């Protein structure tokens, strides 16, 4: 059987080597930008004392949902601080926010394109499937080869792994907008870009927000794995807990991830239901 | 110059549509062409709509009427043929030209309202003006005017979801009216409403049309609606226009068996209007004439009452022969003092059922007036009864003729969609 084996892995490896020689400078720029953005954000988050950040995040939660949630969020975040995981949690939060923002910025235009062109939608679908189902750890390998060890390969792998639902739900949201309403836009002579901006995107917003919510949640599950390649934050704590069989640290770091996840999920979901469309649907 | 003109218009969906059009033009029947996998939706449509006319396209579902209306404003591109709007050929316009035509010359009202759910009622009504780049204050003011026209003043700050179906469609109508285009395309605009609301909306449209004089192309599957609204009606079946004519022409001279079958169940007394049966008034005198002049007019016309009109044919009243004679005897009484100032009148577009009603309440002939209360005709009770007898005979004639092809569905007030 051995002579039938195709060296697909080797091909990909040489492809990546080739990629580095050709696009090396571009990767350097990407790497620097991501790193600087992350550093800037994490130092801001860690600059403020924990109690101030807890209040700020709780107020954000209150604005996105309600004051009961704000109190719950404050208690949960305070627990992270009591477990002495605050600084690590802020590093992780910065990682998720940077990766989530970049993934969203890429995903929404792709979703819009996919909603407008069947061909593009069909072409991009297997790519999205690939991105979503490839075991996420695998992304870390070429990411490390390209960006070396540190926070950047973690962010890049997170972006790739977290992006697909953003594209899919943007496309779905726009396609679900009532065809007659879009036709009305055309019938009054509105140009396609204005129809997108004034009709399709606002009406698709709840679905797009659900997509962003998914991006953030997937991102959070990935940033822990980013610890394997030297990404800082709770992932690193989990990793060292595993290597030292340290149940106590493992539980504390893991619990911190859970609290952060619930907080981010509820806040982003809350933003989606706060849109005009969602409110008027409630009124109906 | 007609407001809208369609010339040899074809729309075929499916592969190689041009080939299908060529075969249809060579006279191949629709079924044969359709069997090769294409759908001929509109076949050789020709019509002109003069400015100010309400042109109704009537057909059952699948007859191609929605496709037809969408070719008028270029939402669908015709496979062959031309559409003209005023002096512009819509068919040859590029995308920007089409947008200009749509925003400045034709607006549309949709079956399921198609309101923007995230905008308030005012912002919905102002949409067309926003597209045209009118500043916010002006367009909201125009939107409020349009909302007032359709009876929705005070509802501007609501969201569409808070409105009932009838009110939503009023917003849809206001949105089209606010754009101040001369042409209004209405695609099954009232079909999604329940019958009572639908009737109300029809009346409102007729009234608005009296005031605004728009050119309206109205699509419907409801024959009664078509008869009530249409100055002229195009009967469509399987992509072809079978007949174009006024409601009366279609009732009384159906072009073919299909149209005849279609209209046979229509209650003619609810379709035919006073203007169809009225006579020229035989005794009309000015309100400044003497009682003697009125009596002379009655004698000449062999009637026992005379209509009295003021300047510009405005109906002032009616005077009976006894009243005129009494005035003459008292000599000195002018006509004005003895005339009955509340004569029984109907409008020229009142349907016959309502004319019966009016006629039953008065021994005198019923006066027929136009929208500005000018006398245009008279209906004596005998005239009405004669008209009835003729209608009976016509209906029986249709019933007795052996039906060739049955219309492929029932005609009813009930909504199919």
């Amino acid at each position: 059987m051995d002579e039938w084996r195709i060296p697909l892995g080797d091909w990909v490896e040489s492809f990546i080597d080739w990629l580095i020689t050709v696009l090396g400078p571009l990767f350097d720029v990407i790497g620097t930008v991501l790193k600087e953005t992350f550093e800037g954000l994490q130092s801001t988050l860690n600059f403020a004392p924990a109690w101030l950040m807890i209040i700020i995040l709780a107020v954000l939660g209150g604005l996105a949902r309600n004051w009961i949630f704000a109190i719950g969020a404050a208690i949960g975040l305070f627990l992270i601080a009591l477990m002495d995981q605050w600084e690590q949690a802020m590093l992780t939060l910065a990682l998720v926010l940077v990766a989530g923002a970049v993934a969203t910025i890429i995903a929404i235009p792709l979703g819009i394109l996919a909603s407008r062109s069947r061909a593009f939608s069909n072409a991009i679908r297997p790519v999205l499937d690939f991105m979503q189902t490839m075991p996420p750890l695998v992304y870390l390998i070429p990411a490390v080869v390209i960006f070396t060890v540190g926070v950047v390969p973690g962010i890049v792998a997170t972006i790739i792994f977290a992006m697909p639902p953003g594209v899919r739900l943007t496309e779905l949201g726009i396609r679900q907008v009532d065809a007659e309403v879009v036709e009305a836009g055309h019938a009054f002579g509105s140009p396609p870009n204005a129809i997108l901006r004034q009709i399709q995107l606002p009406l698709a917003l709840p679905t797009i927000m659900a997509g962003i919510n998914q991006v953030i949640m997937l991102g959070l599950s990935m940033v822990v794995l980013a610890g394997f390649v030297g990404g800082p934050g709770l992932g690193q704590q989990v990793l060292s807990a595993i290597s030292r069989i340290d149940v106590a640290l493992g539980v504390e770091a893991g619990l911190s991830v859970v609290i952060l996840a619930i907080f981010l999920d509820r806040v982003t979901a809350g933003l989606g239901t706060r849109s005009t469309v969602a409110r008027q649907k409630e009124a109906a | 110059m007609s407001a809208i003109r369609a010339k040899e218009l074809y729309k075929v969906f499916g592969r190689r549509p041009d080939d299908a059009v060529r075969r249809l033009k060579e006279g191949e029947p629709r079924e044969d062409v359709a069997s090769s996998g294409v759908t001929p939706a509109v076949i050789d449509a020709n019509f002109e709509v003069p400015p100010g006319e309400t042109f109704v396209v009537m057909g059952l579902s699948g007859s191609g009427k929605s496709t037809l209306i969408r070719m008028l404003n270029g939402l669908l591109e015709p496979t062959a043929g031309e559409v003209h709007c005023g002096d512009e050929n819509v068919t040859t316009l590029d995308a920007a030209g089409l947008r200009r035509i749509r925003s400045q010359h034709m607006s549309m009202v949709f079956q399921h309202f198609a309101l923007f759910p995230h905008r308030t009622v005012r912002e919905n009504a102002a949409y067309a003006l926003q597209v045209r780049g009118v500043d916010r204050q002006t367009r909201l003011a125009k939107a409020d005017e349009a909302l007032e026209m359709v009876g929705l003043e005070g509802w501007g700050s609501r969201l569409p979801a808070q409105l009932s179906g009838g009110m939503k469609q009023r917003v849809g109508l206001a949105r089209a009216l606010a754009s101040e285009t001369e042409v209004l395309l209405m695609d099954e605009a009232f079909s999604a409403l329940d019958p009572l609301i639908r009737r109300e909306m029809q009346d409102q449209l007729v009234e608005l049309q009296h005031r605004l004089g728009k050119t309206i192309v109205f699509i419907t599957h409801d024959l009664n609606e078509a008869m009530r609204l249409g100055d002229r009606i195009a009967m469509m079946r399987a992509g072809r226009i079978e007949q174009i004519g006024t409601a009366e022409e279609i009732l009384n001279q159906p072009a073919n068996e299909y149209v005849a079958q279609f209209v046979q169940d229509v209650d003619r007394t609810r379709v035919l209007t006073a203007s169809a049966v009225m006579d020229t008034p035989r005794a009309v005198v000015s309100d400044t004439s003497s009682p003697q002049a009125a009596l002379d007019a009655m004698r000449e016309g062999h009637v026992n009452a005379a209509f009295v009109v003021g300047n510009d044919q405005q109906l002032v009243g009616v005077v009976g022969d006894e009243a005129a004679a009494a005035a003459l005897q008292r000599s000195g009484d002018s006509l004005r003092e003895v005339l009955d100032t509340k004569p029984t009148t109907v409008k020229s577009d009142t349907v016959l059922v309502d004319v019966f009603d009016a006629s039953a309440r008065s021994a005198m002939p019923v006066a027929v007036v136009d929208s500005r209360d000018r006398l245009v005709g008279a209906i004596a009770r005998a005239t009405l009864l004669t008209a009835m007898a003729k209608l009976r005979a016509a209906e029986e004639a249709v019933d007795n003729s052996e039906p060739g092809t049955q219309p492929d569905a029932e005609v009813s007030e009930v909504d199919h969609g």
Side-chain angles (χ1 to χ4, degrees):
Chain A
M1 244 343 245
D2 258 7
E3 65 266 35
W4 296 104
R5 189 187 193 285
I6 55 159
L8 183 75
D10 293 344
W11 295 342
V12 172
E13 196 180 336
S14 28
F15 171 70
I16 285 177
D17 286 342
W18 174 80
L19 216 57
I20 292 170
T21 45
V22 178
L23 298 177
L26 178 65
F27 288 141
D28 285 348
V29 173
I30 294 174
T32 312
V33 169
L34 288 178
K35 190 167 165 53
E36 290 308 314
T37 316
F38 167 76
E39 288 298 341
L41 186 59
Q42 75 89 6
S43 59
T44 311
L45 292 178
N46 269 323
F47 176 74
W51 61 268
L52 183 60
M53 279 310 296
I54 291 175
I55 291 175
I56 292 174
L57 292 176
V59 167
L60 277 178
L63 290 176
R65 297 189 77 88
N66 51 46
W67 62 271
I68 298 176
F69 175 72
I71 292 173
I75 293 172
L77 293 169
F78 191 52
L79 188 61
I80 297 180
L82 287 181
M83 293 186 296
D84 196 23
Q85 298 294 331
W86 184 257
E87 198 186 328
Q88 304 301 326
M90 285 304 101
L91 285 169
T92 296
L93 182 62
L95 226 163
V96 173
L97 290 181
V98 171
V102 175
T104 305
I105 289 169
I106 300 173
I108 289 180
L110 287 179
I112 291 171
L113 279 178
S115 74
R116 298 194 145 189
S117 151
R118 262 290 161 213
F120 184 74
S121 170
N122 288 338
I124 203 175
R125 193 169 306 141
V127 180
L128 296 176
D129 290 339
F130 178 93
M131 289 161 69
Q132 232 177 343
T133 50
M134 184 65 122
L137 276 170
V138 175
Y139 294 127
L140 291 173
I141 309 166
V144 167
V145 174
I146 296 174
F147 296 104
T148 72
V149 186
V151 69
V152 176
I155 293 178
V156 171
T158 305
I159 291 170
I160 296 174
F161 181 65
M163 197 173 61
V167 181
R168 286 189 214 277
L169 286 167
T170 301
E171 178 187 354
L172 178 72
I174 293 176
R175 284 197 189 276
Q176 271 179 343
V177 172
D178 184 356
E180 208 186 38
V181 172
V182 176
E183 191 182 37
H186 286 293
F188 283 99
S190 192
N193 282 332
I195 291 178
L196 179 71
R197 217 175 48 246
Q198 295 169 347
I199 300 172
Q200 290 175 307
L201 284 181
L203 291 179
L205 194 63
T207 313
I208 295 175
M209 285 308 293
I212 293 176
N213 173 269
Q214 287 300 299
V215 167
I216 301 253
M217 297 310 283
L218 280 180
L220 196 62
S221 71
M222 185 68 194
V223 287
V224 175
L225 296 180
F228 283 87
V229 292
L234 294 168
Q236 218 169 39
Q237 299 287 302
V238 172
L239 197 65
S240 67
I242 293 172
S243 56
R244 298 196 314 237
I245 323 281
D246 184 341
V247 176
L249 180 61
V251 168
E252 285 171 359
L255 200 57
S256 299
V257 172
V258 171
I259 292 169
L260 211 51
I262 293 177
F263 175 77
L264 287 175
D265 177 59
R266 299 299 187 272
V267 169
T268 49
L271 290 177
T273 55
R274 277 295 163 105
S275 67
T276 327
V277 186
R279 262 184 291 144
Q280 72 87 23
K281 267 183 188 151
E282 238 166 72
Chain B
M1 170 74 60
S2 49
I4 294 228
R5 187 155 61 92
K7 198 175 141 203
E8 291 169 30
L9 209 52
Y10 285 81
K11 181 68 189 179
V12 176
F13 293 104
R15 286 172 55 234
R16 296 203 293 147
D18 295 322
D19 186 50
V21 167
R22 185 184 50 75
R23 287 163 65 193
L24 288 163
K25 279 186 177 168
E26 282 164 6
E28 211 172 310
R30 180 183 194 261
E31 299 75 47
D32 294 5
V33 177
S35 66
S36 64
V38 295
T39 313
V42 172
I43 303 167
D44 196 19
N46 288 285
F47 58 84
E48 283 188 35
V49 186
E53 182 178 80
T54 306
F55 184 78
V56 175
V57 179
M58 150 80 210
L60 300 173
S61 57
S63 60
K65 55 195 192 302
S66 285
T67 308
L68 180 64
I69 199 173
R70 276 168 179 72
M71 284 194 283
L72 299 183
N73 65 354
L75 285 175
L76 287 175
E77 194 188 347
T79 313
E82 286 175 10
V83 174
H84 292 265
C85 170
D87 47 12
E88 281 200 82
N89 186 342
V90 178
T91 334
T92 57
L93 289 173
D94 60 358
L98 279 176
R99 289 203 292 272
R100 182 176 48 78
I101 280 273
R102 290 175 196 157
S103 73
Q104 296 178 3
H105 300 284
M106 291 192 223
S107 45
M108 197 161 176
V109 182
F110 295 83
Q111 178 171 12
H112 301 292
F113 327 133
L115 300 179
F116 307 121
H118 56 305
R119 291 166 161 245
T120 62
V121 165
R122 273 177 109 198
E123 288 167 343
N124 263 287
Y127 181 71
L129 298 167
Q130 183 188 2
V131 171
R132 225 186 286 162
V134 176
D135 70 275
R136 189 177 163 78
Q137 212 171 356
T138 315
R139 68 177 190 244
L140 286 181
K142 293 251 186 206
D144 284 341
E145 270 173 41
L147 286 171
E148 201 188 316
M149 256 189 258
V150 298
L152 278 184
E153 56 268 50
W155 288 82
S157 55
R158 308 292 183 100
L159 285 170
Q162 295 168 299
L163 269 52
S164 69
M167 291 167 88
K168 281 183 191 162
Q169 194 57 303
R170 280 168 209 263
V171 179
L173 191 55
R175 178 172 63 180
L177 291 176
S179 71
E180 292 180 333
T181 56
E182 62 267 24
V183 177
L184 220 56
L185 304 176
M186 304 185 72
D187 179 23
E188 299 251 15
F190 304 149
S191 300
L193 304 174
D194 62 58
L196 280 177
I197 307 287
R198 194 187 312 176
R199 182 68 205 251
E200 219 174 86
M201 291 294 286
Q202 289 163 355
D203 292 343
Q204 183 166 37
L205 183 66
V206 168
E207 190 210 316
L208 278 170
Q209 177 64 353
H210 270 308
R211 265 201 286 162
L212 303 174
K214 301 265 183 196
T215 307
I216 300 179
V217 178
F218 193 104
I219 301 283
T220 181
H221 63 253
D222 178 348
L223 185 60
N224 289 300
E225 182 167 81
M227 300 265 169
R228 200 170 293 143
L229 296 177
D231 293 326
R232 283 188 309 148
I233 299 165
M235 300 285 292
M236 257 188 117
R237 177 177 62 153
R240 286 183 200 277
I241 294 179
E242 301 276 339
Q243 183 176 8
I244 297 181
T246 63
E248 285 159 37
E249 280 166 6
I250 283 178
L251 280 179
N252 296 333
Q253 303 137 41
N256 54 35
E257 202 57 35
Y258 176 78
V259 177
Q261 285 290 329
F262 213 110
V263 299
Q264 70 167 335
D265 293 328
V266 171
D267 181 352
R268 283 156 170 75
T269 60
R270 290 182 186 278
V271 173
L272 296 181
T273 58
S275 59
V277 297
M278 70 187 181
D279 297 314
T280 319
R282 271 183 274 173
V284 183
V285 290
S286 149
D287 59 348
T288 51
S289 355
S290 63
Q292 182 62 54
L295 280 172
D296 288 347
M298 287 180 226
R299 199 186 63 239
E300 273 166 37
H302 302 288
V303 285
N304 56 5
F307 293 111
V308 183
V309 294
N311 292 334
D312 196 25
Q313 289 290 301
Q314 213 93 36
L315 183 67
V316 181
V318 64
V319 60
D321 49 2
E322 285 166 22
L328 195 61
Q329 272 169 13
R330 285 200 298 277
S331 71
D333 285 2
S334 80
L335 196 52
R336 259 180 237 172
E337 284 156 36
V338 293
L339 58 78
D340 175 2
T341 51
K342 289 196 183 64
T344 315
T345 61
V346 294
K347 299 272 188 219
S348 54
D349 58 0
T350 306
V351 291
L352 285 188
V353 253
D354 297 336
V355 179
F356 285 123
D357 221 38
S359 180
R361 278 185 274 117
S362 161
M364 304 238 186
V366 178
V368 183
V369 294
D370 66 8
S371 55
R372 286 194 284 164
D373 277 337
R374 288 178 307 193
L375 182 69
V376 291
I379 302 175
R381 210 173 284 172
T383 317
L384 207 50
L385 293 173
T386 316
M388 268 311 287
K390 275 189 196 153
L391 287 178
R392 270 290 127 66
E395 270 168 36
E396 273 159 22
V398 174
D399 284 345
N400 292 339
S401 70
E402 208 43 51
T405 47
Q406 285 286 340
D408 15 17
E410 82 284 14
V411 187
S412 68
E413 285 267 357
V414 197
D415 176 31
H416 300 288

